[in-house]
Amino acid sequence: MSASDAPRTDVSQTSPAYRRVNDSDLPYALRIAAAWSWRLAIILVVVTALVWGLAQLSFLVIPVLVAALLAGLLSPVVNAFVRAQVPRGVAVAITELGFIALVAGLLTLVGRQISAGFAQLWDEAIAGLSEVQKWLSEGPLQLTATQLQTYIDDAQHVLQNNQGTLVNGVLSVGSSAGHIITGALIALFVLVFFLLEGERIWTFLVGLLPRAARPAADGAGRAGWVSLVSYVRVQVLVAAVDAVGIGVGAAVLGVPLALPLGILVFVSSFIPVVGALISGAVAVLLALVANGLVNAVIMLVIVVAVQQIESHVLQPLVMGRAVALHPVAVVLSVAAGSYLAGIPGALFAVPTLAVANSAVRYISARAWETDRAPAARAEVPSEAAGAAESDATS
C-alpha cells in the first residue's frame, strides 16, 4: 500500500494542542483598532451617502438652511412682538415683511450708488490702463507700440475664438440667477412656517423616532438650535463691525463706491476667513484704480487693522463663546465645505459644525437625564409650548 493510500487522520482529533482561533489570540490593540475601524467605516459610508443625497436635492436643502439661519436671527423679534400681546401670525408677518423691505431698500441704495459711481470709476480705470500702457513702453520692459498692438490683437483674437464659451457662460449666469430667485422664494416661504410653527414642526420630527430615543434627540436638537442662534447673532455683529470699519475707512480716503463696498464686506463676512480676504482685496483694488498706489496701501492697512481686531478681539471673546469651536476647526471646516459644495458649503460649514458639536456634547454628557427643560424651550411662547406639549402627550 502506497503512502497516498494511507488513511488520513483529522489533525483536530490527534493533536490535543489544536483549537479554533478566537479574539483572545489577537493582540488587544489590534482588536480595538479593528472595532474602531469597522464602526468608522460605517459612519463614513452613511455620511457619504447623506452628503450625496443632500447634493442631489441642493435646490431644496440650501433654501431650507437659509431659512433656518434667518429664523435664528428673526425669532427674537417675533418673540418680542408676542410678549407685547401681538398675535403670533401678525408678528411673523410684520417681521418677515420688514426684513424683506430692509433687504430691498439696501439693494436699491446699492444699485443707485453703483450706477452713479460706475461712470467715474470707468473713466479712472481707463486712465489707469493708460498709465499701465505708458509704464510698459517707458519702464523696464521697453515694449514698443508695435509689440503692444500685437498683444492687444492677440487678445482680441482669443476673445473672438471663444465667443461660444463666453455666451454659454452668460447663459449659465442667467440660469443661476433664476435658481437664486427660486431659492429665495422657497426660503421665504419656509421661513414663515419656521417662525410660526417651529416648535410644532420639531415636536413632530422628534415623534417619528423610537420612544426611548426621543428625550436625547429632543435635547440634542434644542442644544444645537441654541448654538445656531448664537452663531447667527454673533456673526451679524462681527459682520457689522467689519462693514463699518472698512466702509468708513474707504469713505474717508475718498474711495468710490464706499457704501456698496461696506455692504459687500457685511455679506462676505458670513463666510469665515475666505469672505474677509475677498472683500479686503476688492477694497484695495478699488483704491488702487481710483486713487493710486499710496491710497491703496493706506486702504490695505485699514483692512488689515479691522480684520486683526475681528480675529483677535471679536472672534475669541464673542464668537468663541457662542459656538465653542477652535479656530483650526473653523478654518478646516470652511476649506472642506468650499471643496465639497463651493460657496454654499463655505457659508454653512461653521454653523453646521457648531450645531453638531453642541448636539454631540449634549448626548455624550447624557444631559437629558438631568435637563428636563432645555434652554431653547425658553424662547418659545408659553401658549405655543403648552400646545406643543399637549399634542406630544396626546
Side-chain angles (χ1 to χ4, degrees), residues 92-144:
V92 171
I94 294 174
T95 301
E96 185 156 356
L97 291 176
F99 174 75
I100 295 173
L102 176 62
V103 173
L106 289 176
L107 291 177
T108 302
L109 182 60
V110 169
R112 290 181 177 179
Q113 291 285 326
I114 292 176
S115 62
F118 185 77
Q120 177 186 357
L121 187 62
W122 178 259
D123 294 337
E124 292 171 349
I126 294 298
L129 184 60
S130 300
E131 291 294 330
V132 171
Q133 186 175 359
K134 182 180 179 181
W135 179 82
L136 290 174
S137 60
E138 298 179 359
L141 298 178
Q142 294 293 323
L143 297 178
T144 63

Side-chain angles (χ1 to χ4, degrees), residues 59-60 63 175-188:
F59 68 98
L60 291 178
S175 176
S176 299
H179 292 163
I180 291 174
I181 295 175
T182 304
L185 294 177
I186 295 175
L188 292 176

